[in-house]
Amino acid sequence: MKAEFGELQFAYAITREIEDRIIFSGLNLGIPSLPNLRKEGECGFDVAFEGPVVTLFLQYKLPEKLTRNYAREWADMGEKPYYRISIYPADRSAQHNLLAELARKSRRNQVYYCAPAFTDYQDMTDFQKCHMVSAHSVFVNCYGLPYIEGKEEHCICYQGDSDSALMYSQPENVRLEQGWKTVLEQSRQYTYDNMDEFLWQVLDMEDIPRTRKERSSKGEQEEEQVSLGRRLDTLTRVGNYFAREGIQLLLLKK
C-alpha cells in the first residue's frame, strides 16, 4: 500500500510544524526558507548566527506499507506489518551518498531520512490539523550508513513502534528516532561553536562550489572574521546546493 498523499504535502506539513514548534519554544529557528535570507538578515536576523549552532539535514521520503507474509522483508521484520522507503541507486542519484558523507564528516552534522509511520490520507489530514505529523514520523539517522554503488536497489524498512530499522540490500541495523522531539534532544548534543565553523567545514566537501576567496582561505577560518554579507551569501549558496539535492537544511540556535 503506497502513501495516499504526496511527498511535497508531507514535506510542507512537517517543515511548517517543525518551524512552529521551534519558534514557539523560543529556540530561534535559523533557516527554513533560503530565498528570503538576505531580507531577514537586514531585519536583525543576524542574531541567530551568534554562538553555538545546531545543523540538521533532512531528506523526506514516502513509504510503502507492507502487510502480507510474502513481502520480501517480512521475516526480518518480525512477521508484522512494516514500512519501506526506497533509496535511489547510485547511478541515478548521489543523494544517499551525500547524506552518508555529511554524517561521517562530522557528528555535528545531524543527518536523517524522515518518513511518516502512516500511509492513509485521512491520517495525514487528521495529524496535520492537530500538528502531530512529526510525532507520527520516523527519523532514520544516517550516521554509519554504508555508501552505495552502481545500479543496485536499496531500501530502508521500519515499524512505527521501534527504535531501529534495517537497510538493504543486505540487512543492516540502523538507528531510528521516533518523532521530532527526540531528534531535537539528540541533535542539541552536537553543536558547532559558531556559524562560520559550520560553513568552513561544509565548504570542504568536494562538490559544493566555493568562491576564489573561500578557496584561498581554506583552513584559515580562525584567523578571518567573516562579514555578515559574505556569510549570508555563502549560507544561501550552501543551502541552495542541498536544496537541489532534495535535502532540507535547518540551522538552530542552541
Side-chain angles (χ1 to χ4, degrees), residues 126-178:
D126 292 343
F127 294 149
Q128 195 167 359
K129 285 180 179 177
C130 60
H131 307 288
M132 293 292 286
V133 176
S134 63
H136 291 87
S137 298
V138 299
F139 296 79
V140 179
N141 198 323
C142 293
Y143 180 74
L145 291 190
Y147 292 110
I148 62 175
E149 298 179 349
K151 299 180 179 180
E152 189 172 6
E153 300 276 339
H154 296 268
C155 66
I156 295 174
C157 298
Y158 61 93
Q159 289 159 326
D161 58 355
S162 175
D163 62 357
S164 64
L166 291 174
M167 178 174 170
Y168 293 83
S169 58
Q170 297 296 324
E172 178 171 341
N173 279 301
V174 295
R175 178 70 187 174
L176 179 149
E177 307 292 353
Q178 295 286 341

Side-chain angles (χ1 to χ4, degrees), residues 224-243:
E224 179 179 355
Q225 183 177 0
V226 181
S227 70
L228 176 59
R230 273 192 54 210
R231 186 188 293 149
L232 290 170
D233 290 340
T234 304
L235 198 49
T236 300
R237 191 159 14 97
V238 167
N240 286 337
Y241 167 79
F242 288 113

Side-chain angles (χ1 to χ4, degrees), residues 48-67:
F49 296 121
E50 302 305 322
V53 62
V54 178
T55 64
L56 275 165
F57 297 87
L58 300 178
Q59 172 59 62
Y60 298 116
K61 290 283 188 181
L62 290 186
E64 179 181 7
K65 186 176 182 180
L66 290 305
T67 61

Side-chain angles (χ1 to χ4, degrees), residues 2-15 59-63 88 114-116 118-125 128 133 137:
K2 294 187 177 181
E4 298 175 348
F5 46 88
E7 186 174 300
L8 183 61
Q9 182 182 4
F10 172 68
Y12 176 79
I14 199 166
T15 302
Q59 172 59 62
Y60 298 116
K61 290 283 188 181
L62 290 186
Y88 294 125
C114 175
F118 57 90
T119 55
D120 292 347
Y121 182 81
Q122 189 59 54
D123 285 341
M124 179 66 184
T125 301
Q128 195 167 359
V133 176
S137 298

